[in-house]
Amino acid sequence: MGKSEAAHIVWDWNGTLFHDNDAIIGATNAAFAELGLEPITLEQYRAMYCVPVPKFYERLLGRLPSDAEWEVMDGTFQRHYAEHRVRCGLTEGAVELLTGWRSAGRSQSILSMYGHEELVPLVRGFGIESHFVRVDGRTGPSGGSKAEHMVRHLAALAEAGGAGRAGVDPARTVVIGDAADDAVAARHVGARAVLYTGGSHSRGSLEAVGVPVVDSLAEAVAVAERLAMAA
C-alpha cells in the first residue's frame, strides 16, 4: 500500500460536513434565554465559542453555570437544535469531495461530538454513509472534549483493519474540523489537523492553534493530502 492509499481523513460533522450554523445559533440563543441572557450573532458565537462548552457559557455569564443551569441549558439546546437542523444541508461540495477521496482508494471516517444515536441516521439520510469506514458520534454526557473520543475512534479503526485495509496509521491521518478542539484531539493521538473557517470558530481563534486554516472544504482536502503524503 502506497502513502497515498494509506492516507485517512477523520471528518468532523457539525459545522464541517454538515452546514448547521443557523441551527447552532438558534439553539444556543434558546438555551441562553433560559438564563435570561441576550441573544448573540454568529460572529459573536465564533469569537467566543470554546470547548468544554460550560467554559463558553462562563464567558457570557461571568461564571460557570451550576449543574442545574447546565442541565437546563443543554436540554434546551438539544431540543431546539433537533427542530432547526431539518432545514440544514451538507456543506457545498462535500459530496464531490467525499466521492473523490474514496474513489482514489483512500479511507475516511466521521467522529462527531453530536450524539451517536442522532448522528448515524442523519448521515444515512444524506446518502453518504457508504463513503465512510466508520461513523462515530458522542457517547456519554455532552459538553466535553473530543480527545478521548478520538483515541477510541482510531483504536476501533485499527481493530477493524480500516475496512479491509492494513489499518489506519495516526501519522498519515488528518482530522478536518471547524473547532480548535479538533486540532487538540488530533494532536492527542499523533495525527495532523486542518481547520475550516466555515463553522463555529473565527479565523483568528483557529490560527492561534498553530495548524493549517482554510476557507473551504476543497482546500482542506488538498492540504490533508499533502500532510498525509509528507508523513
Side-chain angles (χ1 to χ4, degrees), residues 11-25 41-43 45-47 49 81 88-92 176-180 182 194-207 212-220:
W11 290 95
D12 175 54
W13 179 248
N14 304 94
T16 303
L17 286 176
F18 188 44
H19 187 64
D20 60 348
N21 290 341
D22 289 345
I24 291 288
I25 293 301
T41 64
L42 176 60
E43 289 70 27
Y45 180 92
R46 284 174 165 163
Y49 182 73
Y81 178 82
C88 300
L90 296 176
T91 300
E92 183 178 357
I176 297 179
D178 69 314
D182 291 302
V194 180
L195 299 180
Y196 164 60
T197 61
S200 62
H201 279 42
S202 67
R203 172 174 274 278
S205 63
L206 294 179
E207 289 177 338
V213 175
V214 299
D215 296 319
S216 72
L217 293 190
E219 292 177 87

Side-chain angles (χ1 to χ4, degrees), residues 8-194:
H8 181 84
I9 290 176
V10 178
W11 290 95
D12 175 54
W13 179 248
N14 304 94
T16 303
L17 286 176
F18 188 44
H19 187 64
D20 60 348
N21 290 341
D22 289 345
I24 291 288
I25 293 301
T28 296
N29 284 331
F32 285 176
E34 293 290 336
L35 268 65
L37 294 171
E38 292 296 317
I40 62 173
T41 64
L42 176 60
E43 289 70 27
Q44 290 171 317
Y45 180 92
R46 284 174 165 163
M48 302 183 72
Y49 182 73
C50 63
V51 174
V53 179
K55 294 290 290 182
F56 169 50
Y57 291 144
E58 181 182 23
R59 292 181 174 184
L60 293 147
L61 285 169
R63 60 175 175 80
L64 280 170
S66 67
D67 290 345
E69 288 172 331
W70 165 251
E71 185 175 346
V72 169
M73 293 177 78
D74 186 50
T76 301
F77 177 92
Q78 300 298 341
R79 186 172 66 255
H80 281 265
Y81 178 82
E83 295 172 0
H84 286 288
R85 78 176 192 198
V86 298
R87 295 188 291 274
C88 300
L90 296 176
T91 300
E92 183 178 357
V95 173
E96 292 78 10
L97 291 166
L98 295 173
T99 301
W101 188 264
R102 182 188 179 196
S103 297
R106 303 160 183 154
S107 61
Q108 54 197 331
S109 58
I110 292 176
L111 176 62
S112 172
M113 294 300 283
Y114 192 41
H116 185 75
E117 297 303 318
E118 292 77 28
L119 173 67
V120 172
L122 187 54
V123 172
R124 187 172 296 148
F126 282 112
I128 58 173
E129 186 180 21
S130 63
H131 291 302
F132 307 105
V133 296
R134 188 172 183 88
V135 176
D136 283 333
R138 187 197 75 251
T139 57
S142 62
S145 173
K146 186 178 276 190
E148 292 305 318
H149 294 271
M150 187 68 74
V151 172
R152 291 191 290 271
H153 184 70
L154 289 193
L157 287 171
E159 183 178 345
R165 294 172 173 270
V168 172
D169 180 0
R172 292 181 182 156
T173 296
V174 180
V175 177
I176 297 179
D178 69 314
D181 192 49
D182 291 302
V184 172
R187 190 175 299 127
H188 189 68
V189 296
R192 308 290 189 89
V194 180

